[in-house]
Amino acid sequence: MTPLLLFGIASVLGTLALAPLSAEGRLLDALAIMALCGYAARPREPPLVRALVPAALVLFALNAWTHEERLPRITEPRTARYSALVLAPMSSDGIT
């Protein structure tokens, strides 16, 4: 696999590491990260690629974290609750 493809996969998986995912998504992302690091650690890969793929994972996760922190909060972090009385329309004979 070419180094460019390895770094592309590392960028996606590093960004997904901090995305709001379900438990299954987290597990799939963790397994994919382990598989990528295992593939990149093979002796056939150049030493520079073996060192830079895990670094790219961490750097893209850090990039996603910094972009998430700079986004303005649009909604309240809590839910407002209001009490209300629902009025049903009455028919002419007084039965709803």
Side-chain angles (χ1 to χ4, degrees):
M1 195 179 305
T2 65
L4 185 61
L5 187 57
L6 285 174
F7 293 125
I9 294 170
S11 70
V12 170
L13 292 177
T15 304
L16 275 177
L18 292 179
L21 299 173
S22 64
E24 294 86 12
R26 287 258 174 244
L27 178 64
L28 187 61
D29 186 45
L31 290 174
I33 287 173
M34 288 189 290
L36 177 68
C37 288
Y39 185 85
R42 295 178 320 149
R44 288 189 350 188
E45 298 297 328
L48 187 61
V49 171
R50 281 188 263 161
L52 288 180
V53 166
L57 280 166
V58 171
L59 288 175
F60 278 102
L62 183 65
N63 183 34
W65 179 73
T66 57
H67 281 115
E68 179 70 25
E69 288 296 314
R70 286 190 292 175
L71 290 176
R73 301 284 180 202
I74 296 173
T75 60
E76 291 268 338
R78 56 181 157 58
T79 304
R81 298 184 185 264
Y82 301 102
S83 62
L85 176 64
V86 177
L87 301 175
M90 297 187 73
S91 63
S92 62
D93 58 358
I95 302 174
T96 58

